[in-house]
Protein backbone atom coordinates (compact mmCIF):
# COMPACT_ATOMS: atom_id res chain seq x y z
CA UNK A 1 0.00 0.00 0.00
CA UNK A 2 2.83 2.36 0.89
CA UNK A 3 4.58 1.62 -2.39
CA UNK A 4 1.34 2.28 -4.27
CA UNK A 5 0.92 5.67 -2.55
CA UNK A 6 4.56 6.52 -3.14
CA UNK A 7 4.28 5.61 -6.82
CA UNK A 8 1.13 7.71 -7.18
CA UNK A 9 2.87 10.62 -5.46
CA UNK A 10 5.79 10.65 -7.89
CA UNK A 11 3.60 9.74 -10.87
CA UNK A 12 1.06 12.55 -10.45
CA UNK A 13 1.97 15.08 -7.76
CA UNK A 14 5.49 16.14 -8.74
CA UNK A 15 4.92 16.23 -12.55
CA UNK A 16 1.69 18.23 -12.16
CA UNK A 17 3.31 20.59 -9.65
CA UNK A 18 6.09 21.25 -12.17
CA UNK A 19 3.56 21.58 -15.00
CA UNK A 20 1.63 24.15 -12.96
CA UNK A 21 4.74 26.34 -12.71
CA UNK A 22 5.45 25.94 -16.42
CA UNK A 23 1.85 26.91 -17.32
CA UNK A 24 2.05 29.79 -14.85
CA UNK A 25 5.28 31.07 -16.42
CA UNK A 26 3.95 30.82 -19.98
CA UNK A 27 0.56 32.38 -19.17
CA UNK A 28 1.97 35.28 -17.18
CA UNK A 29 4.39 36.28 -19.93
CA UNK A 30 1.67 36.13 -22.55
CA UNK A 31 -0.32 38.40 -20.23
CA UNK A 32 2.70 40.72 -19.95
CA UNK A 33 2.84 40.88 -23.72
CA UNK A 34 -0.84 41.89 -23.83
CA UNK A 35 -0.25 44.57 -21.19
CA UNK A 36 2.89 46.01 -22.79
CA UNK A 37 1.43 45.97 -26.30
CA UNK A 38 -1.92 47.53 -25.30
CA UNK A 39 -0.99 49.69 -22.30
CA UNK A 40 2.80 50.06 -22.11
CA UNK A 41 5.55 49.13 -19.63
CA UNK A 42 4.60 51.97 -17.26
CA UNK A 43 1.17 50.50 -16.54
CA UNK A 44 2.70 47.06 -16.07
CA UNK A 45 4.94 48.67 -13.44
CA UNK A 46 1.92 50.31 -11.79
CA UNK A 47 0.05 46.98 -11.78
CA UNK A 48 3.08 45.32 -10.18
CA UNK A 49 3.13 47.93 -7.39
CA UNK A 50 -0.62 47.58 -6.68
CA UNK A 51 -0.31 43.79 -6.42
CA UNK A 52 2.76 44.17 -4.18
CA UNK A 53 0.81 46.53 -1.89
CA UNK A 54 -2.14 44.16 -1.48
CA UNK A 55 0.21 41.20 -0.99
CA UNK A 56 1.38 42.83 2.24
CA UNK A 57 -1.93 41.69 3.76
CA UNK A 58 -0.64 38.10 3.60
CA UNK A 59 1.57 38.99 6.58
CA UNK A 60 -1.16 37.78 8.89
CA UNK A 61 -2.30 34.73 6.94
CA UNK A 62 0.50 32.79 5.22
CA UNK A 63 1.70 31.08 8.41
CA UNK A 64 -1.80 29.80 9.15
CA UNK A 65 -2.30 28.53 5.60
CA UNK A 66 1.01 26.65 5.80
CA UNK A 67 -0.02 25.16 9.15
CA UNK A 68 -3.17 23.73 7.54
CA UNK A 69 -1.00 21.38 5.46
CA UNK A 70 0.71 19.90 8.52
CA UNK A 71 -2.36 19.52 10.74
CA UNK A 72 -4.74 18.26 8.05
CA UNK A 73 -2.12 15.63 7.16
CA UNK A 74 -1.54 14.81 10.84
CA UNK A 75 -5.19 14.21 11.78
CA UNK A 76 -6.09 12.64 8.43
CA UNK A 77 -3.37 10.05 9.08
CA UNK A 78 -4.89 9.44 12.54
CA UNK A 79 -8.33 9.09 10.91
CA UNK A 80 -9.66 11.90 13.13
CA UNK A 81 -12.26 13.40 10.80
CA UNK A 82 -13.71 15.84 13.35
CA UNK A 83 -10.26 17.25 14.13
CA UNK A 84 -9.51 17.70 10.41
CA UNK A 85 -12.77 19.64 10.05
CA UNK A 86 -11.88 21.75 13.09
CA UNK A 87 -8.44 22.57 11.62
CA UNK A 88 -9.89 23.62 8.23
CA UNK A 89 -12.75 25.68 9.68
CA UNK A 90 -10.61 27.41 12.33
CA UNK A 91 -7.88 28.18 9.79
CA UNK A 92 -10.42 29.47 7.27
CA UNK A 93 -12.11 31.81 9.77
CA UNK A 94 -8.77 33.06 11.11
CA UNK A 95 -7.40 33.76 7.63
CA UNK A 96 -10.63 35.46 6.53
CA UNK A 97 -10.77 37.83 9.51
CA UNK A 98 -7.05 38.64 9.51
CA UNK A 99 -6.78 39.15 5.74
CA UNK A 100 -9.85 41.41 5.59
CA UNK A 101 -8.67 43.49 8.57
CA UNK A 102 -5.11 43.88 7.28
CA UNK A 103 -6.23 44.62 3.74
CA UNK A 104 -8.64 47.27 5.04
CA UNK A 105 -5.87 48.94 7.07
CA UNK A 106 -3.49 48.84 4.09
CA UNK A 107 -6.18 50.31 1.83
CA UNK A 108 -6.84 53.19 4.24
CA UNK A 109 -3.11 53.96 4.52
CA UNK A 110 -2.72 53.78 0.74
CA UNK A 111 -5.52 56.24 0.07
CA UNK A 112 -4.45 58.61 2.86
CA UNK A 113 -0.91 58.85 1.46
CA UNK A 114 -1.61 58.24 -2.23
CA UNK A 115 -0.54 61.75 -3.21
CA UNK A 116 2.89 61.17 -1.64
CA UNK A 117 3.69 58.20 -3.87
CA UNK A 118 1.63 58.53 -7.05
CA UNK A 119 0.80 61.11 -9.72
CA UNK A 120 -2.81 62.14 -10.33
CA UNK A 121 -3.25 60.00 -13.46
CA UNK A 122 -1.80 56.99 -11.61
CA UNK A 123 -4.23 57.52 -8.72
CA UNK A 124 -7.17 57.48 -11.16
CA UNK A 125 -6.05 54.10 -12.49
CA UNK A 126 -5.55 52.71 -8.97
CA UNK A 127 -9.04 53.81 -7.88
CA UNK A 128 -10.63 52.15 -10.93
CA UNK A 129 -8.98 48.74 -10.38
CA UNK A 130 -8.64 48.60 -6.59
CA UNK A 131 -12.14 47.28 -5.71
CA UNK A 132 -11.59 44.28 -8.00
CA UNK A 133 -8.10 43.64 -6.58
CA UNK A 134 -9.38 44.00 -2.99
CA UNK A 135 -12.09 41.39 -3.55
CA UNK A 136 -9.72 39.19 -5.55
CA UNK A 137 -7.16 39.22 -2.73
CA UNK A 138 -9.71 38.17 -0.09
CA UNK A 139 -10.92 35.32 -2.31
CA UNK A 140 -7.34 34.19 -2.99
CA UNK A 141 -6.67 33.92 0.76
CA UNK A 142 -9.79 31.79 1.27
CA UNK A 143 -8.90 29.54 -1.66
CA UNK A 144 -5.33 29.21 -0.32
CA UNK A 145 -6.76 27.46 2.76
CA UNK A 146 -8.71 25.07 0.52
CA UNK A 147 -5.64 24.32 -1.60
CA UNK A 148 -3.35 23.91 1.44
CA UNK A 149 -5.89 21.46 2.91
CA UNK A 150 -5.80 19.45 -0.33
CA UNK A 151 -2.01 19.33 0.07
CA UNK A 152 -2.58 17.99 3.57
CA UNK A 153 -4.64 15.16 2.05
CA UNK A 154 -1.65 14.57 -0.29
CA UNK A 155 -3.82 15.59 -3.26
CA UNK A 156 -1.16 17.89 -4.68
CA UNK A 157 -2.04 16.78 -8.21
CA UNK A 158 -5.60 18.12 -7.72
CA UNK A 159 -4.28 21.39 -6.27
CA UNK A 160 -1.90 21.74 -9.21
CA UNK A 161 -4.67 20.95 -11.72
CA UNK A 162 -6.81 23.70 -10.17
CA UNK A 163 -3.87 26.08 -10.47
CA UNK A 164 -3.40 25.20 -14.14
CA UNK A 165 -7.12 25.62 -14.98
CA UNK A 166 -7.42 28.94 -13.12
CA UNK A 167 -4.30 30.36 -14.82
CA UNK A 168 -5.63 29.41 -18.26
CA UNK A 169 -8.86 31.27 -17.45
CA UNK A 170 -6.79 34.28 -16.33
CA UNK A 171 -5.01 34.26 -19.69
CA UNK A 172 -8.23 33.91 -21.69
CA UNK A 173 -10.09 36.70 -19.88
CA UNK A 174 -7.06 38.99 -20.03
CA UNK A 175 -7.01 38.58 -23.82
CA UNK A 176 -10.77 39.28 -24.00
CA UNK A 177 -10.91 42.28 -21.65
CA UNK A 178 -7.62 44.19 -21.67
CA UNK A 179 -8.11 45.92 -25.01
CA UNK A 180 -11.42 47.53 -23.98
CA UNK A 181 -10.99 47.87 -20.20
CA UNK A 182 -7.22 48.44 -19.80
CA UNK A 183 -5.92 47.52 -16.31
CA UNK A 184 -9.49 47.07 -15.07
CA UNK A 185 -9.76 44.18 -17.53
CA UNK A 186 -6.63 42.64 -16.03
CA UNK A 187 -8.07 43.07 -12.52
CA UNK A 188 -11.35 41.41 -13.56
CA UNK A 189 -9.42 38.52 -15.13
CA UNK A 190 -7.48 38.06 -11.87
CA UNK A 191 -10.75 38.07 -9.92
CA UNK A 192 -12.16 35.37 -12.21
CA UNK A 193 -8.98 33.29 -11.75
CA UNK A 194 -9.31 33.41 -7.96
CA UNK A 195 -13.06 32.67 -8.03
CA UNK A 196 -12.37 29.55 -10.10
CA UNK A 197 -9.68 28.47 -7.59
CA UNK A 198 -12.15 29.05 -4.77
CA UNK A 199 -14.98 27.07 -6.38
CA UNK A 200 -12.85 24.13 -7.52
CA UNK A 201 -10.84 24.03 -4.28
CA UNK A 202 -14.03 24.05 -2.20
CA UNK A 203 -15.63 21.39 -4.41
CA UNK A 204 -12.76 18.90 -4.17
CA UNK A 205 -12.27 19.57 -0.46
CA UNK A 206 -15.97 18.95 0.16
CA UNK A 207 -15.75 15.80 -1.96
CA UNK A 208 -12.88 14.57 0.21
CA UNK A 209 -14.65 15.48 3.47
CA UNK A 210 -18.45 15.35 3.02
CA UNK A 211 -19.32 16.56 6.53
CA UNK A 212 -17.24 19.75 6.14
CA UNK A 213 -19.38 22.92 6.24
CA UNK A 214 -17.77 25.69 4.20
CA UNK A 215 -20.51 28.26 4.89
CA UNK A 216 -21.34 28.04 8.60
CA UNK A 217 -17.76 27.65 9.82
CA UNK A 218 -16.90 27.36 13.51
CA UNK A 219 -13.91 28.61 15.47
CA UNK A 220 -12.17 26.25 17.89
CA UNK A 221 -9.93 27.92 20.47
CA UNK A 222 -7.91 24.76 21.23
CA UNK A 223 -7.27 24.12 17.53
CA UNK A 224 -6.28 27.77 17.03
CA UNK A 225 -3.67 27.53 19.81
CA UNK A 226 -2.23 24.38 18.25
CA UNK A 227 -2.03 26.00 14.82
CA UNK A 228 -0.62 29.23 16.21
CA UNK A 229 2.10 27.52 18.26
CA UNK A 230 3.34 25.80 15.12
CA UNK A 231 2.76 28.54 12.58
CA UNK A 232 3.88 31.74 14.30
CA UNK A 233 7.54 31.30 13.30
CA UNK A 234 6.47 30.70 9.69
CA UNK A 235 4.37 33.85 10.08
CA UNK A 236 7.29 35.98 11.25
CA UNK A 237 9.51 34.61 8.46
CA UNK A 238 6.82 35.36 5.86
CA UNK A 239 6.47 38.92 7.17
CA UNK A 240 10.13 39.70 6.56
CA UNK A 241 10.04 37.75 3.29
CA UNK A 242 7.06 39.73 2.02
CA UNK A 243 8.61 43.06 2.98
CA UNK A 244 11.34 42.68 0.37
CA UNK A 245 9.25 42.72 -2.84
CA UNK A 246 6.92 45.69 -2.14
CA UNK A 247 9.77 47.73 -0.69
CA UNK A 248 12.03 47.07 -3.70
CA UNK A 249 9.28 48.14 -6.11
CA UNK A 250 8.44 51.29 -4.13
CA UNK A 251 12.11 52.31 -4.04
CA UNK A 252 12.45 51.53 -7.76
CA UNK A 253 9.58 53.88 -8.49
CA UNK A 254 11.00 56.55 -6.15
CA UNK A 255 14.58 56.43 -7.44
CA UNK A 256 13.73 55.34 -10.98
CA UNK A 257 10.29 55.28 -12.61
CA UNK A 258 7.38 52.97 -13.43
CA UNK A 259 9.26 51.70 -16.49
CA UNK A 260 12.05 50.46 -14.19
CA UNK A 261 9.45 48.68 -12.06
CA UNK A 262 8.04 47.07 -15.22
CA UNK A 263 11.48 45.88 -16.34
CA UNK A 264 12.22 44.50 -12.87
CA UNK A 265 8.87 42.67 -12.74
CA UNK A 266 9.36 41.00 -16.13
CA UNK A 267 12.97 39.91 -15.63
CA UNK A 268 12.42 38.78 -12.05
CA UNK A 269 9.44 36.64 -13.09
CA UNK A 270 11.45 35.07 -15.95
CA UNK A 271 14.23 33.95 -13.62
CA UNK A 272 11.97 33.33 -10.60
CA UNK A 273 9.91 30.73 -12.48
CA UNK A 274 13.15 29.02 -13.50
CA UNK A 275 14.09 28.95 -9.81
CA UNK A 276 10.71 27.50 -8.87
CA UNK A 277 11.29 24.44 -11.07
CA UNK A 278 14.05 23.49 -8.64
CA UNK A 279 12.24 24.58 -5.46
CA UNK A 280 9.09 22.57 -6.28
CA UNK A 281 11.16 19.41 -6.53
CA UNK A 282 13.13 19.90 -3.31
CA UNK A 283 10.01 20.83 -1.29
CA UNK A 284 8.77 17.26 -1.70
CA UNK A 285 11.59 15.88 0.48
CA UNK A 286 10.56 17.74 3.67
CA UNK A 287 8.78 14.67 5.17
CA UNK A 288 11.88 12.54 4.43
CA UNK A 289 14.10 15.08 6.20
CA UNK A 290 11.83 15.03 9.25
CA UNK A 291 11.98 11.22 9.38
CA UNK A 292 15.77 11.12 9.05
CA UNK A 293 16.14 13.71 11.80
CA UNK A 294 13.98 11.66 14.16
CA UNK A 295 16.13 8.57 13.49
CA UNK A 296 19.22 10.53 14.61
CA UNK A 297 21.38 8.82 11.99
CA UNK A 298 24.07 10.07 9.60
CA UNK A 299 21.75 9.79 6.60
CA UNK A 300 20.63 13.39 7.11
CA UNK A 301 24.14 14.66 6.46
CA UNK A 302 24.47 12.47 3.35
CA UNK A 303 21.05 13.55 2.13
CA UNK A 304 21.97 17.23 2.51
CA UNK A 305 25.26 16.87 0.61
CA UNK A 306 23.56 14.96 -2.21
CA UNK A 307 20.69 17.47 -2.37
CA UNK A 308 23.11 20.39 -2.36
CA UNK A 309 25.08 18.86 -5.24
CA UNK A 310 21.92 18.42 -7.29
CA UNK A 311 20.67 21.94 -6.58
CA UNK A 312 24.02 23.53 -7.42
CA UNK A 313 24.26 21.81 -10.81
CA UNK A 314 20.64 22.27 -11.84
CA UNK A 315 20.63 25.90 -10.63
CA UNK A 316 23.62 26.55 -12.86
CA UNK A 317 22.12 24.87 -15.93
CA UNK A 318 18.50 26.12 -15.65
CA UNK A 319 19.26 29.72 -14.64
CA UNK A 320 22.01 30.02 -17.27
CA UNK A 321 19.68 28.61 -19.94
CA UNK A 322 16.90 31.10 -19.13
CA UNK A 323 19.40 33.96 -18.90
CA UNK A 324 20.90 33.06 -22.28
CA UNK A 325 17.41 33.11 -23.84
CA UNK A 326 16.64 36.54 -22.38
CA UNK A 327 16.84 38.52 -25.67
CA UNK A 328 14.24 36.17 -27.19
CA UNK A 329 12.04 36.23 -24.09
CA UNK A 330 12.20 40.03 -23.97
CA UNK A 331 11.17 40.17 -27.64
CA UNK A 332 8.22 37.85 -26.90
CA UNK A 333 6.78 40.43 -24.49
CA UNK A 334 7.20 43.13 -27.14
CA UNK A 335 10.31 44.83 -25.73
CA UNK A 336 13.92 45.24 -26.85
CA UNK A 337 17.17 44.71 -24.97
CA UNK A 338 18.58 47.90 -23.47
CA UNK A 339 21.05 48.88 -20.75
CA UNK A 340 18.49 48.82 -17.92
CA UNK A 341 17.17 45.38 -18.89
CA UNK A 342 20.70 43.99 -19.23
CA UNK A 343 21.78 45.46 -15.86
CA UNK A 344 18.67 44.29 -14.03
CA UNK A 345 18.88 40.78 -15.50
CA UNK A 346 22.54 40.39 -14.48
CA UNK A 347 21.90 41.53 -10.91
CA UNK A 348 18.72 39.45 -10.51
CA UNK A 349 20.52 36.37 -11.87
CA UNK A 350 23.26 36.72 -9.24
CA UNK A 351 20.73 37.28 -6.43
CA UNK A 352 18.61 34.25 -7.35
CA UNK A 353 21.67 32.06 -7.96
CA UNK A 354 22.86 32.62 -4.39
CA UNK A 355 19.27 32.21 -3.18
CA UNK A 356 19.16 28.76 -4.77
CA UNK A 357 22.48 27.76 -3.24
CA UNK A 358 20.96 28.19 0.23
CA UNK A 359 17.54 26.67 -0.61
CA UNK A 360 18.64 23.24 0.63
CA UNK A 361 19.65 24.78 3.99
CA UNK A 362 16.27 26.51 4.25
CA UNK A 363 14.27 23.36 3.39
CA UNK A 364 16.31 21.11 5.68
CA UNK A 365 15.74 23.55 8.54
CA UNK A 366 11.98 23.32 7.89
CA UNK A 367 12.12 19.52 7.92
CA UNK A 368 14.19 19.49 11.12
CA UNK A 369 11.97 22.11 12.74
CA UNK A 370 14.90 24.49 13.27
CA UNK A 371 13.31 27.68 11.97
CA UNK A 372 15.43 30.19 13.90
CA UNK A 373 18.17 30.17 11.23
CA UNK A 374 15.63 30.85 8.49
CA UNK A 375 14.17 33.70 10.54
CA UNK A 376 17.60 35.29 11.12
CA UNK A 377 18.35 35.06 7.41
CA UNK A 378 15.02 36.68 6.48
CA UNK A 379 15.52 39.53 8.97
CA UNK A 380 19.01 40.19 7.57
CA UNK A 381 17.61 40.12 4.03
CA UNK A 382 14.78 42.56 4.80
CA UNK A 383 16.89 45.14 6.63
CA UNK A 384 19.94 44.90 4.37
CA UNK A 385 17.64 45.24 1.33
CA UNK A 386 16.26 48.47 2.79
CA UNK A 387 19.70 49.80 3.75
CA UNK A 388 21.54 48.92 0.53
CA UNK A 389 18.66 49.92 -1.78
CA UNK A 390 18.39 53.33 -0.12
CA UNK A 391 22.17 53.81 -0.17
CA UNK A 392 22.88 52.74 -3.74
CA UNK A 393 19.56 54.10 -5.05
CA UNK A 394 20.62 57.57 -3.89
CA UNK A 395 23.72 57.43 -6.11
CA UNK A 396 22.71 55.12 -8.98
CA UNK A 397 18.90 55.51 -9.20
CA UNK A 398 16.96 52.38 -10.22
CA UNK A 399 20.08 50.34 -10.97
CA UNK A 400 21.31 51.07 -7.46
CA UNK A 401 18.05 49.78 -5.94
CA UNK A 402 18.32 46.47 -7.81
CA UNK A 403 22.02 46.25 -6.87
CA UNK A 404 21.00 46.72 -3.22
CA UNK A 405 18.42 43.94 -3.59
CA UNK A 406 21.06 41.64 -5.10
CA UNK A 407 23.56 42.40 -2.33
CA UNK A 408 20.93 41.64 0.33
CA UNK A 409 20.18 38.29 -1.34
CA UNK A 410 23.85 37.32 -1.49
CA UNK A 411 24.66 38.29 2.12
CA UNK A 412 21.55 36.78 3.76
CA UNK A 413 21.76 33.51 1.83
CA UNK A 414 25.49 33.06 2.42
CA UNK A 415 24.87 33.60 6.15
CA UNK A 416 22.04 31.00 6.15
CA UNK A 417 24.21 28.50 4.29
CA UNK A 418 27.14 29.07 6.68
CA UNK A 419 24.94 28.75 9.79
CA UNK A 420 23.54 25.43 8.57
CA UNK A 421 27.00 23.98 7.82
CA UNK A 422 28.20 25.06 11.27
CA UNK A 423 25.14 23.55 13.01
CA UNK A 424 25.56 20.23 11.19
CA UNK A 425 29.38 20.34 11.51
CA UNK A 426 29.89 19.99 7.76
CA UNK A 427 33.23 21.41 6.52
CA UNK A 428 32.91 23.93 3.69
CA UNK A 429 35.32 21.98 1.47
CA UNK A 430 33.06 18.94 1.80
CA UNK A 431 30.13 20.79 0.28
CA UNK A 432 31.91 23.36 -1.93
CA UNK A 433 34.80 21.99 -3.97
CA UNK A 434 37.40 23.82 -6.05
CA UNK A 435 35.52 22.77 -9.19
CA UNK A 436 32.35 24.40 -7.79
CA UNK A 437 34.22 27.64 -7.13
CA UNK A 438 35.71 27.60 -10.64
CA UNK A 439 32.25 27.05 -12.11
CA UNK A 440 30.86 30.01 -10.14
CA UNK A 441 33.74 32.25 -11.28
CA UNK A 442 33.17 31.14 -14.89
CA UNK A 443 29.48 32.03 -14.63
CA UNK A 444 30.33 35.50 -13.27
CA UNK A 445 32.80 36.04 -16.10
CA UNK A 446 30.17 35.04 -18.69
CA UNK A 447 27.72 37.54 -17.11
CA UNK A 448 30.27 40.33 -17.58
CA UNK A 449 30.81 39.31 -21.22
CA UNK A 450 27.07 39.22 -21.96
CA UNK A 451 26.50 42.57 -20.23
CA UNK A 452 29.13 44.17 -22.48
CA UNK A 453 27.67 42.55 -25.62
CA UNK A 454 24.07 43.48 -24.79
CA UNK A 455 24.77 47.10 -23.86
CA UNK A 456 27.89 48.18 -25.75
CA UNK A 457 27.85 46.28 -29.04
CA UNK A 458 25.49 47.21 -31.87
CA UNK A 459 24.93 43.70 -33.23
CA UNK A 460 21.85 42.42 -35.05
CA UNK A 461 19.15 40.64 -33.05
CA UNK A 462 20.15 37.20 -34.40
CA UNK A 463 23.81 37.80 -33.54
CA UNK A 464 22.85 38.93 -30.00
CA UNK A 465 20.74 35.79 -29.53
CA UNK A 466 23.55 33.55 -30.79
CA UNK A 467 26.20 35.17 -28.59
CA UNK A 468 23.92 35.13 -25.51
CA UNK A 469 23.50 31.40 -25.90
CA UNK A 470 26.93 30.29 -27.09
CA UNK A 471 29.14 32.35 -24.76
CA UNK A 472 27.85 31.16 -21.35
CA UNK A 473 27.58 27.50 -22.37
CA UNK A 474 30.91 27.42 -24.19
CA UNK A 475 32.53 28.93 -21.09
CA UNK A 476 30.89 26.67 -18.51
CA UNK A 477 30.69 23.39 -20.47
CA UNK A 478 34.26 22.37 -19.62
CA UNK A 479 33.81 23.37 -15.98
CA UNK A 480 30.50 21.46 -15.81
CA UNK A 481 31.87 18.14 -17.04
CA UNK A 482 34.88 18.43 -14.77
CA UNK A 483 32.70 19.29 -11.79
CA UNK A 484 32.61 16.77 -8.93
CA UNK A 485 28.92 17.43 -8.20
CA UNK A 486 27.88 16.60 -11.77
CA UNK A 487 30.02 13.45 -11.72
CA UNK A 488 28.26 12.30 -8.55
CA UNK A 489 24.81 12.97 -10.08
CA UNK A 490 25.67 11.19 -13.35
CA UNK A 491 27.08 8.22 -11.42
CA UNK A 492 23.89 8.00 -9.34
CA UNK A 493 21.71 8.09 -12.48
CA UNK A 494 23.88 5.46 -14.14
CA UNK A 495 23.55 3.13 -11.13
CA UNK A 496 19.75 3.46 -11.13
CA UNK A 497 19.56 2.76 -14.88
CA UNK A 498 21.64 -0.40 -14.40
CA UNK A 499 19.32 -1.50 -11.64
Amino acid sequence: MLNSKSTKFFKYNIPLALLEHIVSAISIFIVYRFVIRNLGVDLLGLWSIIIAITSISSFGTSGFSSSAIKFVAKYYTKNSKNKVISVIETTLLTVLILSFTLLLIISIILFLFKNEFFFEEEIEVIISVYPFIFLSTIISFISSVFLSSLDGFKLIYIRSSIGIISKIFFLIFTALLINNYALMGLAIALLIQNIISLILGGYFLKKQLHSLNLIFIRFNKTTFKEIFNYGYQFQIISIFQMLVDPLTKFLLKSYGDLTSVGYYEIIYKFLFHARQLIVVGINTIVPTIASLYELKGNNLREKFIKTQNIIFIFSTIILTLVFSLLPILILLVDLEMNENISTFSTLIFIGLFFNLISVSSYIFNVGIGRLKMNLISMIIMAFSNLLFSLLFGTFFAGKGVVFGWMLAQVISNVILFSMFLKAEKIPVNEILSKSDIMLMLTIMFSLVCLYYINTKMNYSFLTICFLNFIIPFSLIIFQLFNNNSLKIILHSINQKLKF
Side-chain angles (χ1 to χ4, degrees):
M1 184 68 179
L2 183 61
N3 289 336
S4 174
K5 286 182 178 179
S6 179
T7 302
K8 187 176 181 180
F9 182 88
F10 286 101
K11 186 177 180 181
Y12 297 110
N13 285 346
I14 296 177
L16 275 168
L18 291 171
L19 181 60
E20 181 189 0
H21 282 287
I22 293 169
V23 171
S24 177
I26 293 171
S27 64
I28 201 164
F29 294 120
I30 295 174
V31 167
Y32 284 169
R33 180 179 174 86
F34 285 142
V35 175
I36 292 169
R37 174 162 285 189
N38 289 279
L39 309 176
V41 182
D42 285 3
L43 281 182
L44 176 61
L46 184 61
W47 171 263
S48 175
I49 289 175
I50 299 169
I51 296 299
I53 292 169
T54 54
S55 72
I56 297 172
S57 57
S58 66
F59 286 179
T61 61
S62 56
F64 291 105
S65 297
S66 300
S67 299
I69 301 173
K70 173 183 170 58
F71 289 104
V72 167
K74 175 182 176 180
Y75 292 114
Y76 177 64
T77 303
K78 292 182 176 182
N79 201 27
S80 180
K81 187 193 296 184
N82 290 334
K83 193 63 178 177
V84 171
I85 291 172
S86 178
V87 167
I88 295 172
E89 290 186 351
T90 302
T91 304
L92 183 59
L93 193 58
T94 302
V95 166
L96 182 58
I97 292 170
L98 281 175
S99 61
F100 182 82
T101 304
L102 287 169
L103 195 54
L104 192 61
I105 292 169
I106 291 164
S107 302
I108 291 169
I109 293 171
L110 172 64
F111 283 94
L112 283 176
F113 295 97
K114 61 183 183 296
N115 293 319
E116 303 295 325
F117 299 105
F118 301 100
F119 297 114
E120 188 175 341
E121 60 272 18
E122 295 168 356
I123 294 170
E124 289 178 7
V125 175
I126 293 172
I127 291 172
S128 69
V129 304
Y130 201 80
F132 297 101
I133 295 177
F134 185 100
L135 182 59
S136 177
T137 305
I138 296 295
I139 291 172
S140 73
F141 286 136
I142 298 171
S143 65
S144 72
V145 177
F146 295 168
L147 299 180
S148 294
S149 300
L150 289 172
D151 282 352
F153 286 118
K154 297 184 179 178
L155 299 173
I156 298 172
Y157 68 97
I158 292 179
R159 191 278 313 274
S160 298
S161 300
I162 292 170
I164 292 167
I165 292 167
S166 64
K167 288 172 178 65
I168 291 172
F169 271 92
F170 177 55
L171 176 59
I172 292 169
F173 278 94
T174 297
L176 292 173
L177 298 172
I178 197 167
N179 194 40
N180 292 325
Y181 297 97
L183 273 194
M184 188 187 293
L186 191 59
I188 294 170
L190 182 63
L191 177 60
I192 292 169
Q193 173 188 332
N194 289 328
I195 289 173
I196 289 168
S197 292
L198 179 73
I199 294 170
L200 292 178
Y203 169 77
F204 283 105
L205 192 57
K206 182 73 174 174
K207 191 175 179 181
Q208 184 70 19
L209 206 59
H210 296 290
S211 53
L212 176 66
N213 193 328
L214 294 176
I215 299 176
F216 300 104
I217 52 180
R218 293 162 296 179
F219 181 84
N220 186 292
K221 189 176 180 181
T222 304
T223 302
F224 174 78
K225 284 182 179 178
E226 188 177 14
I227 294 169
F228 179 80
N229 288 335
Y230 175 80
Y232 80 94
Q233 290 191 72
F234 280 109
Q235 195 62 49
I236 297 170
I237 290 169
S238 70
I239 288 172
F240 285 102
Q241 216 166 16
M242 290 297 298
L243 278 171
V244 175
D245 186 57
L247 179 64
T248 302
K249 289 173 181 176
F250 262 112
L251 291 174
L252 258 177
K253 184 182 185 301
S254 299
Y255 288 107
D257 50 30
L258 281 176
T259 302
S260 296
V261 179
Y263 288 156
Y264 174 85
E265 173 74 8
I266 292 166
I267 297 162
Y268 180 80
K269 284 295 172 63
F270 275 139
L271 294 169
F272 177 79
H273 279 286
R275 169 193 180 273
Q276 284 303 97
L277 289 173
I278 300 167
V279 174
V280 166
I282 189 177
N283 268 326
T284 61
I285 69 170
V286 171
T288 305
I289 297 166
S291 299
L292 289 173
Y293 182 70
E294 292 300 322
L295 293 172
K296 303 294 181 184
N298 292 325
N299 287 341
L300 185 66
R301 177 193 181 100
E302 294 171 8
K303 188 77 174 177
F304 176 78
I305 294 172
K306 185 176 181 180
T307 302
Q308 184 64 29
N309 288 335
I310 293 170
I311 287 177
F312 180 76
I313 291 301
F314 280 96
S315 298
T316 301
I317 295 171
I318 293 174
L319 281 180
T320 303
L321 177 62
V322 174
F323 187 85
S324 67
L325 295 174
L326 196 63
I328 298 172
L329 297 173
I330 289 296
L331 181 68
L332 290 176
V333 294
D334 220 27
L335 292 174
E336 294 180 358
M337 289 293 292
N338 57 47
E339 188 172 353
N340 274 340
I341 289 176
S342 188
T343 303
F344 287 7
S345 60
T346 302
L347 296 174
I348 292 170
F349 177 98
I350 295 170
L352 290 181
F353 183 76
F354 276 88
N355 178 275
L356 275 171
I357 287 175
S358 75
V359 158
S360 54
S361 305
Y362 186 96
I363 296 297
F364 270 71
N365 279 334
V366 172
I368 293 169
R370 189 173 52 202
L371 299 178
K372 188 176 179 181
M373 288 185 194
N374 295 354
L375 177 58
I376 292 170
S377 174
M378 287 301 108
I379 292 172
I380 292 170
M381 183 186 295
F383 283 104
S384 59
N385 180 61
L386 174 61
L387 176 65
F388 292 138
S389 295
L390 284 171
L391 177 64
F392 292 105
T394 303
F395 296 101
F396 303 105
K399 294 175 184 176
V401 172
V402 182
F403 181 80
W405 172 88
M406 180 273 293
L407 208 54
Q409 291 287 329
V410 172
I411 292 170
S412 61
N413 285 293
V414 167
I415 289 173
L416 174 59
F417 185 65
S418 302
M419 285 192 296
F420 185 89
L421 294 187
K422 184 177 180 181
E424 294 298 318
K425 298 178 181 178
I426 302 174
V428 177
N429 59 4
E430 195 171 327
I431 203 79
L432 195 66
S433 65
K434 289 182 180 179
S435 59
D436 292 332
I437 295 170
M438 285 302 300
L439 181 56
M440 291 172 68
L441 291 174
T442 305
I443 290 170
M444 296 305 147
F445 178 70
S446 69
L447 290 177
V448 173
C449 292
L450 292 184
Y451 176 80
Y452 183 81
I453 289 167
N454 292 331
T455 58
K456 307 297 181 183
M457 308 303 290
N458 191 24
Y459 293 130
S460 68
F461 175 74
L462 288 177
T463 304
I464 290 286
C465 291
F466 175 76
L467 292 174
N468 271 262
F469 185 82
I470 202 69
I471 286 176
F473 281 101
S474 62
L475 286 174
I476 71 171
I477 197 73
F478 176 77
Q479 294 296 336
L480 265 177
F481 283 101
N482 282 280
N483 186 272
N484 294 331
S485 299
L486 183 61
K487 289 177 181 177
I488 292 169
I489 294 168
L490 292 175
H491 176 73
S492 177
I493 293 171
N494 186 47
Q495 290 297 109
K496 289 181 179 180
L497 288 175
K498 284 182 179 178
F499 178 78

